[in-house]
Amino acid sequence: MSTVTRTQDGGPAATQIVVGAAIIRGGMLLGAQRADPPQLRGRWELPGGKVDPGEAETDALVRECREELGVEITLGERLGGDVAMPVRTGGPRAVLRVWAARVAEGEPRALEHLALRWLAPEELAEVDWLPADVPFLEEIRPLLERDGAAPMA
């Protein structure tokens, strides 16, 4: 659900909630390379997207991963706090919220992205992340290291 904040004059100013999934498998993180819009093309992000009005954030994240990657995911813990996203001209204020996740069914495919890449902890700095995703990488790194050290099921 979107949160309502107030402008300086007291009127409502909607905040767009954007959700992202830190999908972890075998000690690696799934990164997705943006195709659109043109100014973001080629940069990397955590899969996810906007929460629709009246939609729960976690439901939106599961839906977005189904649409973008063709997979069903299970969500773990929420990581960090809200991270402000760059304001688009004429657009609402937006914040990114991220959850740890695992693929429950299917194999991720780039249905809306240029490419997907599984990144080991030491490879996280090798891709050009979108600014809003960067603050989450240090929280994700220990999850990757712990997951990579766990015996394979």
Side-chain angles (χ1 to χ4, degrees), residues 36-122:
D36 292 307
Q39 64 270 27
L40 301 179
R41 184 178 176 87
R43 298 198 69 188
W44 292 79
E45 67 178 356
L46 299 171
K50 295 177 184 173
V51 177
D52 290 335
E55 185 177 33
E57 294 170 7
T58 53
D59 291 344
L61 189 49
V62 169
R63 173 185 53 76
E64 287 284 350
C65 287
R66 187 180 306 125
E67 292 171 0
E68 292 183 1
L69 306 172
V71 296
E72 295 297 323
I73 60 168
T74 55
L75 298 177
E77 65 186 295
R78 181 163 170 214
L79 304 175
D82 291 358
V83 172
M85 298 183 72
V87 178
R88 292 186 185 173
T89 305
R93 177 178 171 279
V95 295
L96 176 62
R97 297 177 178 167
V98 172
W99 278 260
R102 295 196 178 274
V103 174
E105 185 179 317
E107 184 61 30
R109 294 172 288 144
L111 301 175
E112 297 182 7
H113 291 89
L114 293 176
L116 301 177
R117 180 175 169 189
W118 288 103
L119 299 157
E122 63 275 8

Side-chain angles (χ1 to χ4, degrees), residues 17-47:
I17 305 300
V18 178
V19 290
I23 300 174
I24 297 168
R25 179 169 73 189
M28 301 180 92
L29 174 69
L30 184 65
Q33 190 177 36
R34 292 288 302 245
D36 292 307
Q39 64 270 27
L40 301 179
R41 184 178 176 87
R43 298 198 69 188
W44 292 79
E45 67 178 356
L46 299 171

